[in-house]
Amino acid sequence: MKREYYEVLGVSRTATKDEIKKAYRKLALQFHPDKNPDNKDAEEHFKEVNEAYEVLSNDDKRRRYDQFGHAGVGSSAASGGGGQYGGGASDLGDIFSAFNDMFSGGRQRGGGAPFGFEEVFGGGGRRGQASVGIPGTDLKIKLKLTLEEVAKGVEKTLKIKKQVTCKECNGSGSKSGASESCPTCHGAGEVRQASKTMFGQFVNIVACPKCGGEGRIIKDRCPACYGEGIKLGEVTVKVTVPAGVESGNYLTLRGQGNSGPRGGAPGDLIVVIEEIPHELFSRNGNDVIYTLAVSFPDLVLGTKVEVPTLDGAIKLTIPPATQPETMLRIAGHGIGHLRGSGRGDQYVKVNVYVPKELSHQDKELLKDLKKSAGISPTAHNDRNAKSFFEKARDIFS
Ligand SMILES: [Zn+2]
Ligand SMILES: [Zn+2]
């Protein structure tokens, strides 16, 4: 003979939702197979408890059960079978999937189920505790950095506008801090919607429309935040940027994003780096390149010049006979390595300076210089050029 569901859970016929949930929670814990390995009796009890809860936790089913008994909630239930589990001998796997179903959805979405499978049984849950409210959103901000800051790393203090916890209600959204279990989903944060199609009945689990998946409804809304538990505010955040970052890199500051409505966990603050182009240097990985125009006589004879670096001016020797486009290296004055220590180098790209205007005197000097045999490309180069043009003529004629 099948036992009364109320009897199974040890509650009265007038028990409230919460009382039923509490009773179920206690019994499910007591008879859970994990705690009673190889105990057939416990397993049967566990099934029985789940079946009872499945019916009594559902308003509709409970009403039918109250009116018609076991017959009202499934054909097999009346004949001593296992209700929706398809008979007393149904395997535990089915129950577990139904059992998980009952609690998991809302919790995984961050909804406010007052307890969930993992929490009840203390087993490897991804969350350590029941979540409340709605999780806060991530906040993305752009942080512009000069090349000097990128080179050595920098600590920045940022003022950020974001959703902060309402101080008036401590983030609860309620003036008195009171809330009640949502009457529509009974705290689960989700509701089942059955739809009949030609292929059979489908059950969808959707966020509860009444409480928006939170499982709880606040009483006497906080006037400062209109019951949201969050307000727009401004905070200062310290960000430590390591050397060597580049545009598009980002730093994630956990929990520094928007606060969550009604006590929800805060989102993250994502700081996206943007490098401001430097007026003197261009960047190539961890090296910086500086272009320097040098006069023809200086390239030929060699000279000492002063060049800017990210660390201030430095003396650089241009050796004699330096060719245009030569890259002269200044070790260790580049960008700090993001991983590991040390810095890249600075390269000075040497260009020949060609004046656009000349005094009459300079022109005469250059004309004199031109007469000198050593100043023009060699006869060897001339010969190569000549034979090249002859070949080209042969081809195109
Ligand atoms: Zn408030
Ligand atoms: Zn609800």
Side-chain angles (χ1 to χ4, degrees):
M1 183 65 197
K2 209 171 162 63
R3 287 209 291 161
E4 278 270 325
Y5 287 146
Y6 292 102
E7 193 192 325
V8 169
L9 293 183
V11 294
S12 74
R13 291 187 78 88
T14 55
T16 64
K17 278 276 167 197
D18 276 345
E19 286 168 338
I20 286 167
K21 191 163 270 176
K22 222 181 223 166
Y24 166 66
R25 181 178 180 165
K26 198 176 142 224
L27 291 166
L29 259 175
Q30 189 184 334
F31 295 118
H32 193 272
D34 282 358
K35 296 205 167 177
N36 305 275
D38 300 316
N39 182 338
K40 271 279 161 202
D41 262 346
E43 195 180 304
E44 284 310 313
H45 265 109
F46 185 65
K47 286 181 192 172
E48 198 182 21
V49 162
N50 274 289
E51 194 189 317
Y53 182 72
E54 152 79 11
V55 171
L56 296 188
S57 63
N58 179 302
D59 282 344
D60 193 32
K61 283 187 188 167
R62 185 177 177 183
R63 208 163 30 244
R64 273 186 281 139
Y65 178 74
D66 287 346
Q67 205 170 345
F68 304 112
H70 289 306
V73 288
S75 54
S76 57
S79 59
Q84 76 161 94
Y85 305 124
S90 73
D91 74 40
L92 272 177
D94 284 351
I95 289 188
F96 280 126
S97 68
F99 185 78
N100 280 328
D101 254 20
M102 232 183 281
F103 296 112
S104 61
R107 190 168 33 85
Q108 278 165 0
R109 276 199 324 273
F115 65 95
F117 183 79
E118 287 148 2
E119 289 136 29
V120 171
F121 301 108
R126 283 178 303 150
R127 287 162 184 269
Q129 58 193 45
S131 56
V132 291
I134 296 171
T137 52
D138 293 343
L139 195 61
K140 212 179 199 179
I141 59 158
K142 207 182 266 180
L143 177 59
K144 293 190 176 191
L145 297 175
T146 65
L147 198 59
E148 282 84 352
E149 290 170 332
V150 166
K152 295 167 197 172
V154 66
E155 188 167 278
K156 286 279 192 183
T157 304
L158 313 171
K159 271 211 164 78
I160 291 164
K161 279 200 169 66
K162 67 168 191 175
Q163 306 280 5
V164 296
T165 303
C166 172
K167 284 202 181 74
E168 308 298 322
C169 62
N170 250 333
S172 71
S174 156
K175 212 158 83 181
S176 60
S179 67
E180 60 185 2
S181 189
C182 169
T184 300
C185 64
H186 311 292
E190 62 187 27
V191 288
R192 290 166 166 233
Q193 283 179 347
S195 52
K196 278 212 168 79
T197 74
M198 61 186 288
F199 302 108
Q201 178 168 294
F202 289 91
V203 177
N204 289 319
I205 296 177
V206 297
C208 171
K210 173 94 175 163
C211 62
E214 287 180 72
R216 296 196 75 76
I217 288 175
I218 53 154
K219 289 173 159 178
D220 62 317
R221 278 165 191 271
C222 165
C225 64
Y226 308 103
E228 289 299 304
I230 48 172
K231 285 168 76 177
L232 196 62
E234 197 175 63
V235 293
T236 43
V237 178
K238 270 212 169 107
V239 190
T240 306
V241 183
V245 294
E246 51 190 274
S247 288
N249 285 165
Y250 58 90
L251 307 163
T252 304
L253 306 182
R254 296 262 173 246
Q256 304 252 39
N258 286 316
S259 293
R262 289 176 288 287
D268 297 333
L269 175 63
I270 296 158
V271 181
V272 184
I273 304 295
E274 192 184 304
E275 187 185 305
I276 304 166
H278 199 282
E279 55 176 354
L280 298 177
F281 305 109
S282 63
R283 180 177 177 180
N284 180 24
N286 284 324
D287 296 330
V288 292
I289 297 162
Y290 175 72
T291 304
L292 176 72
V294 179
S295 74
F296 169 68
D298 278 343
L299 284 182
V300 177
L301 302 173
T303 185
K304 268 192 164 56
V305 291
E306 206 168 61
V307 292
T309 73
L310 290 169
D311 309 285
I314 230 174
K315 278 243 180 333
L316 177 70
T317 301
I318 312 265
T322 295
Q323 303 298 310
E325 311 232 326
T326 297
M327 298 283 245
L328 298 171
R329 179 166 163 261
I330 306 174
H333 284 278
I335 312 285
H337 298 295
L338 187 56
R339 287 174 192 83
S341 57
R343 288 171 68 180
D345 304 321
Q346 175 172 329
Y347 284 91
V348 177
K349 185 180 179 184
V350 177
N351 269 356
V352 61
Y353 174 70
V354 179
K356 284 183 178 147
E357 282 175 39
L358 280 181
S359 66
H360 177 72
Q361 199 187 349
D362 286 342
K363 266 184 193 159
E364 291 308 311
L365 278 170
L366 283 171
K367 277 178 187 167
D368 276 349
L369 189 61
K370 222 187 132 181
K371 286 173 195 154
S372 170
I375 216 74
S376 294
T378 61
H380 169 77
N381 282 346
D382 266 357
R383 266 202 307 278
N384 280 349
K386 209 173 166 192
S387 71
F388 171 80
F389 284 122
E390 274 162 7
K391 268 184 202 149
R393 246 197 319 276
D394 286 349
I395 292 166
F396 293 113
S397 62

